[in-house]
Amino acid sequence: MKIISKNPAIVGLFLPLILAVGFVSGVSRLSADEAKKTTLDCGECHTCENPSAENLCLKPCPSLFMLQEHAKHTVTEAPDSMLLKILVNEYGPVRFNHKLHARMSDMDKGCAECHHYSPEGRIPPCGECHGGEANPANLRQPSLKGAYHRQCLSCHREWSHSTACAVCHIPLGAESLTGNVKDPTDIIGIPHPLITEPVKRVYYTPYDRGPMVTFYHKEHIDLFGLRCVDCHQKENCVFCHDLQKPARLKKSQEEVHAICSGCHGTHKCSKCHDKKEKPAFSHADTGWPLSRFHRGADCRACHPTGKRISKLNKECIGCHAGWNQETFAHAVVGLQLDEIHIEIECADCHVDRKFENKPVCSGCHDDGRDPRKNPPGKKI
Amino acid sequence: MGLDRRDFFKIVTAGSASMLAGEVKAGANGGNHRFSDNFGVLVDTAICIGCRKCEWGCEQANSLAFRDKSEYEDKSVFENQRRPVPDKYTVVNTFEKPLDPANPYYLKVQCMHCNHPACVSACIVGALEKKTEGPVTYDPWKCMGCRYCMVACPFQVPAYEYAEPLTPQVRKCGFCYDKLKDGKKPGCVEACPNEALTFGKRGDLLELAHNRIIQNPEKYVSHVYGEYEAGGTSWMYLAGVEFEKTELPVIGSEPIPEITESIQHGIFKAFVPPLALYGLLALAMHTFREKQAEKGDNHE
Ligand code: SF4
Ligand code: SF4
Ligand code: SF4
C-alpha cells in the first residue's frame, strides 16, 4: 500500500506525530515541493492494513529515525571533485573526488551507498542538514564532522585497515594541494586509475570441455544498455581494494552463473564455454543481418521482453504495425515522396504492406513504369 | 527551646526527603529514572574505529601527556589488552568481530560513573564523590591512600600511583567535571572524529541507544550495557556481539554499594556493643564531671 501525499500540510502534521521525539528537525528540512513527492509506505510504520485514529497500530518506526529516500540517480549527475573546507582548522581541506567514488559506488548501491537521503531531483549535500556541532536536541543527528568521518571511514578503514588522518587530510598550508583538482582521477595527489570498461575478457574456468569463456564486456554496456550494478552487485570497496580480501568475498560458481542467467540460459554450457576464444556476437548469425536502420538500435527496442531475447517476426509490420502514410517520414529511406504520393496509403504501392518486397506502380499507373526509373518523388 | 512552627516543618521535610531518597536507593536498580537527567556518554562500539583520538583528547584535557596526535595512530598497542593507568584515564582495546577478523571492534574503557558508585561508598574519608550532575570525582586532599575504592570498583577502574614515592594519588577519569560545569563536552568526546561517543542526558542516551538497536537489528545485540549493570551507569555501551565476549564484566543489576555496604555494616554491627559500652562510660564520666564542676561552682 503506497500513499503519495498530495498535501504537504498532512505530511507536516503527520510525521512529527509518528516520529514522536527529536526527528522533527530533520523532517522540517523538506521543502513544500520535496514534501509533495515524499512517498511513505504505510507498512513502514503501521502493522495493520487499515490504521485508524482509534487503532494506529504503530510500529516503533525504525526506518524513519534517519531520513531515508532513494530515488534513481546516475553517475553523470555527480559533481567531479569537491574541496571540503567548511571544517578546516587543524588540517587543510579534504579533496574529495566525488565522481570517482560515484563510479565505484555504482557497482553496489549507487548514490544510496553514502546518501541516505537521495530524493528525486537534487540530492542535498550533507552540510545542508548536518551542522558544525552535534545537534543536542536530536542526538541521532551527528555533526557534519561526525557524518563525514562515519561515511568515509566505514569503507576506507575496512580495506586500508588504517585510520591515519593524513590519508584524507592535507596538512595545513600545503599550497599546491589546496587548489581545484584538475585531473579527475586525482585523489589527494594520488592518481587513481580511471574506471573504464574493458572491451572483452577471457575467463579460464575449471570446466574441462570448454575452459574458456569469452565475455564481451563493452558490448554488454553499449549494445544491451546494462548498468554496472546490473552485474556487479555487492561489489563494495573491499572487493577491489582489500589485498587480503577475505575468502567470503570471492564469488562462488553459482553466483557467477547467476549473473549471466539473468538474461542467458545457462543450461547449455557450450553457449559460453569453449576450448578457444569465441567471436563476438553477430546478429547476422541469427539469420537477420541488421540493416543500417537497425544496427544502431538498442537491443531492447526490438526485444522489449527484457530478460530473454525472443525470436521476432521478420516482417516489418511485426514491429512497425502503427506506421502509416502520416506517421512515417518516408525521406529516411532516401526518397522524399512528392505531394501526390505522400497522401497515398502505404499498401497502394507496398502490396499487402509487405515492405520487404519491391513496391509496384501498376495499382494506379498502367504504363508499366518502373519505380526506380520513375520515382514517385525526389531521391535524396 | 525556640523551635517554632517553621523550623519544625523544615526538619520534618528534610527528614522525609532523606527517607525518600533512601527508599529510592534501596530498590535494586529501581529509580533508575532518577538519573535520567544526569550527564552520560553512549559509547557505540559499532561506530568506533579504534583511532584512539579519545585517548589523546583525554590526555590533553587532563594535562596527562602532550604527545603528537599522530602517535596515536600506532596500532601495535592493541596487541595487549590495556587498563586505565595513572597517566591514562581511558584506553581503547579491541574485541573480535566475527566474520571479519581483519577489522575488529574497538572498546573504549574508562570510569563508568555509576549511579550508585561502589568506590564512593567504600571511601571512608569522602575523597570520592558522586556529583548531582552524574560525574564521580576524586579529591586528592581528602584521600588517605587506603585504596578501598580500587577493591570496591566492579569495573577495576581506579589506578594508583605506586611509582610516586611522596604523594601517591588514586587516578581515574573524572568525567571532565570542570568542563561539564562550563557547559562543555568531555575531552575524549570532543576529540572523537567519528562521534562514536555521544554526550548527553542519560535518559536521552538510553532512548538513542534503543532506537539504534531497533533501527539496525543486524548491527547491534539488544542490550545497552550500563542501563542496568550495577544499578545503572552514566557511561553506557552498544555492541554488535554479546557483551560476554567483550572485556566488560558481567554484572547484575544490583547496585554494588548495597553489597559492600551490607558487608561494612555487618562489620560495624559487631562494633556496636563495645561502642555502646564506651558511650555509656563516656556519658557517665561526663555527668560525673559536670556534677563535680557544679559543686566547685558552689564553693566559689
Ligand atoms: S566505575 Fe568504579 S570508579 Fe567509576 S564510579 Fe563506578 S565504582 Fe567508582
Ligand atoms: S571524561 Fe574526561 S577524564 Fe574521562 S575519559 Fe573522557 S576525557 Fe578522560
Ligand atoms: S576517538 Fe572515538 S572512534 Fe576513535 S577510538 Fe576513541 S571512541 Fe573510537
Side-chain angles (χ1 to χ4, degrees):
Chain A
M1 185 165 50
K2 276 239 170 204
I3 285 179
I4 299 175
S5 175
K6 292 194 178 69
N7 183 353
I10 289 179
V11 178
L13 276 173
F14 195 48
L15 280 185
L17 266 177
I18 317 166
L19 309 174
V21 215
F23 182 62
V24 185
S25 60
V27 171
S28 64
R29 297 206 174 254
L30 287 175
S31 71
D33 256 353
E34 283 165 325
K36 249 184 229 166
K37 280 190 224 126
T38 303
T39 53
L40 279 179
D41 188 353
C42 307
E44 242 164 30
C45 301
H46 299 278
T47 50
C48 57
E49 268 286 293
N50 299 311
S52 63
E54 291 78 36
N55 180 21
L56 281 172
C57 56
L58 283 173
K59 281 201 240 179
C61 257
S63 61
L64 287 170
F65 293 155
M66 189 158 115
L67 209 48
Q68 297 265 11
E69 191 169 332
H70 304 294
K72 265 206 174 155
H73 289 273
T74 60
V75 177
T76 46
E77 297 168 47
D80 269 348
S81 57
M82 302 158 75
L83 210 56
L84 310 177
K85 53 187 173 192
I86 310 173
L87 305 172
V88 164
N89 53 11
E90 269 180 82
Y91 298 97
V94 170
R95 251 161 56 174
F96 176 61
N97 195 324
H98 191 288
K99 185 75 126 232
L100 196 68
H101 282 84
R103 283 225 192 96
M104 293 186 275
S105 305
D106 209 22
M107 296 181 208
D108 196 6
K109 296 194 204 84
C111 306
E113 189 88 55
C114 301
H115 293 274
H116 63 89
Y117 181 57
S118 47
E120 273 176 49
R122 175 179 162 277
I123 300 181
C126 312
E128 217 164 279
C129 299
H130 296 273
E133 282 287 324
N135 183 354
N138 179 6
L139 294 177
R140 288 179 208 105
Q141 191 180 36
S143 73
L144 185 58
K145 180 182 164 192
Y148 275 154
H149 280 99
R150 283 188 199 174
Q151 281 298 357
C152 303
L153 283 157
S154 64
C155 295
H156 269 250
R157 94 190 162 91
E158 225 181 81
W159 55 265
S160 70
H161 308 291
S162 159
T163 49
C165 308
V167 173
C168 301
H169 291 278
I170 302 162
L172 207 54
E175 287 307 318
S176 63
L177 292 167
T178 51
N180 275 322
V181 192
K182 298 277 176 342
D183 178 357
T185 68
D186 192 359
I187 317 175
I188 23 169
I190 312 154
H192 183 284
L194 201 68
I195 301 169
T196 48
E197 62 273 14
V199 174
K200 79 172 172 192
R201 297 200 68 163
V202 180
Y203 295 99
Y204 294 88
T205 69
Y207 179 56
D208 282 345
R209 284 200 274 164
M212 283 159 89
V213 174
T214 321
F215 176 64
Y216 288 84
H217 191 283
K218 196 164 189 309
E219 196 168 69
H220 279 75
I221 295 164
D222 295 352
L223 278 182
F224 314 141
L226 295 182
R227 295 173 311 142
C228 306
V229 74
D230 289 334
C231 302
H232 297 272
Q233 277 167 17
K234 297 201 189 117
E235 288 185 13
N236 49 19
C237 319
V238 178
F239 195 83
C240 294
H241 286 273
D242 192 354
L243 298 178
Q244 315 146 19
K245 198 183 329 180
R248 73 189 161 96
L249 287 173
K250 295 219 171 90
K251 286 203 164 79
S252 69
Q253 190 176 324
E254 287 76 33
E255 283 171 320
V256 173
H257 280 103
I259 297 173
C260 305
S261 66
C263 302
H264 304 279
T266 45
H267 49 279
K268 204 172 164 202
C269 309
S270 64
K271 270 210 149 168
C272 302
H273 288 268
D274 208 337
K275 290 215 160 87
K276 53 182 193 318
E277 269 187 40
K278 271 190 185 295
F281 170 73
S282 156
H283 210 284
D285 295 348
T286 67
W288 177 266
L290 294 181
S291 72
R292 64 189 166 109
F293 299 114
H294 292 119
R295 210 171 295 143
D298 187 357
C299 305
R300 286 171 212 230
C302 304
H303 304 280
T305 41
K307 297 259 163 175
R308 204 151 289 184
I309 305 281
S310 49
K311 277 209 170 130
L312 296 175
N313 180 350
K314 282 183 193 162
E315 286 182 12
C316 304
I317 55 165
C319 296
H320 304 294
W323 281 356
N324 59 33
Q325 66 277 20
E326 274 154 28
T327 54
F328 181 66
H330 206 283
V332 298
V333 301
L335 177 73
Q336 174 74 62
L337 294 177
D338 58 30
E339 278 169 21
I340 299 165
H341 286 94
I342 207 160
E343 302 285 333
I344 293 174
E345 282 254 339
C346 306
D348 286 351
C349 303
H350 301 281
V351 180
D352 293 341
R353 290 174 72 86
K354 289 217 184 295
F355 298 92
E356 49 282 10
N357 298 340
K358 201 176 116 183
V360 296
C361 304
S362 53
C364 303
H365 308 276
D366 44 14
D367 54 1
R369 66 174 77 180
D370 181 351
R372 266 172 296 188
K373 283 186 199 139
N374 224 337
K378 203 170 80 186
K379 279 198 176 167
I380 44 175
Chain B
M1 196 171 77
L3 183 76
D4 65 11
R5 236 175 95 86
R6 209 189 260 169
D7 284 332
F8 174 75
F9 274 120
K10 259 190 211 162
I11 291 165
V12 170
T13 340
S16 46
S18 63
M19 265 165 68
L20 211 66
E23 234 172 56
V24 172
K25 200 175 163 188
N29 189 33
N32 222 343
H33 59 273
R34 189 156 68 92
F35 301 93
S36 292
D37 272 344
N38 276 9
F39 284 121
V41 172
L42 179 70
V43 184
D44 192 327
T45 60
I47 295 179
C48 175
I49 50 168
C51 68
R52 298 176 57 214
K53 295 299 179 291
C54 48
E55 292 181 19
W56 173 83
C58 177
E59 285 157 37
Q60 296 285 314
N62 295 288
S63 309
L64 296 172
F66 298 96
R67 283 186 275 262
D68 190 65
K69 234 184 192 179
S70 60
E71 285 183 40
Y72 294 77
E73 279 164 15
D74 175 14
K75 300 242 162 191
S76 65
V77 294
F78 293 130
E79 283 160 22
N80 300 309
Q81 196 183 82
R82 299 174 298 154
R83 294 295 311 162
V85 287
D87 59 352
K88 253 185 172 313
Y89 296 166
T90 184
V91 288
V92 181
N93 287 323
T94 62
F95 63 98
E96 202 193 315
K97 188 184 214 165
L99 296 177
D100 196 1
N103 293 303
Y105 285 122
Y106 297 92
L107 188 134
K108 175 189 183 295
V109 195
Q110 73 297 305
C111 171
M112 303 287 283
H113 300 278
C114 307
N115 292 346
H116 309 283
C119 58
V120 171
S121 68
C123 181
I124 47 182
V125 290
L128 288 153
E129 193 188 339
K130 174 79 177 169
K131 300 283 181 191
T132 47
E133 299 93 333
V136 174
T137 57
Y138 168 76
D139 182 352
W141 296 104
K142 287 187 189 159
C143 177
M144 61 176 190
C146 69
R147 283 161 283 145
Y148 280 1
C149 53
M150 296 172 67
V151 184
C153 171
F155 302 98
Q156 297 177 25
V157 165
Y160 193 63
E161 290 178 318
Y162 289 105
E164 187 71 47
L166 296 176
T167 54
Q169 290 180 17
V170 168
R171 309 297 295 265
K172 73 164 198 73
C173 152
F175 208 161
C176 292
Y177 183 56
D178 288 339
K179 293 188 86 177
L180 257 57
K181 273 193 299 188
D182 290 347
K184 291 194 195 125
K185 290 178 185 174
C188 54
V189 174
E190 271 187 338
C192 177
N194 237 28
E195 285 176 24
L197 312 173
T198 311
F199 172 77
K201 294 279 169 69
R202 190 175 186 273
D204 298 342
L205 293 175
L206 275 170
E207 196 195 309
L208 169 71
H210 285 291
N211 283 334
R212 282 199 188 153
I213 292 172
I214 295 168
Q215 195 183 4
N216 312 289
E218 73 297 336
K219 202 167 156 187
Y220 300 105
V221 292
S222 182
H223 181 175
V224 184
Y225 189 96
E227 180 173 12
Y228 298 114
E229 273 75 8
T233 54
S234 284
W235 280 63
M236 293 170 291
Y237 289 82
L238 281 179
V241 296
E242 299 295 334
F243 281 97
E244 285 81 5
K245 297 194 179 115
T246 72
E247 67 188 273
L248 293 172
V250 179
I251 292 179
S253 56
E254 191 80 10
I256 305 291
E258 286 183 11
I259 303 165
T260 50
E261 266 167 25
S262 65
I263 299 168
Q264 274 181 352
H265 292 175
I267 296 167
F268 283 116
K269 243 179 226 160
F271 276 113
V272 170
L275 275 180
L277 186 66
Y278 284 127
L280 268 174
L281 283 173
L283 192 71
M285 276 171 75
H286 187 74
T287 8
F288 180 68
R289 271 211 198 130
E290 261 179 9
K291 275 186 183 155
Q292 290 249 317
E294 269 168 29
K295 269 183 199 163
D297 278 353
N298 289 343
H299 275 293
E300 267 178 277

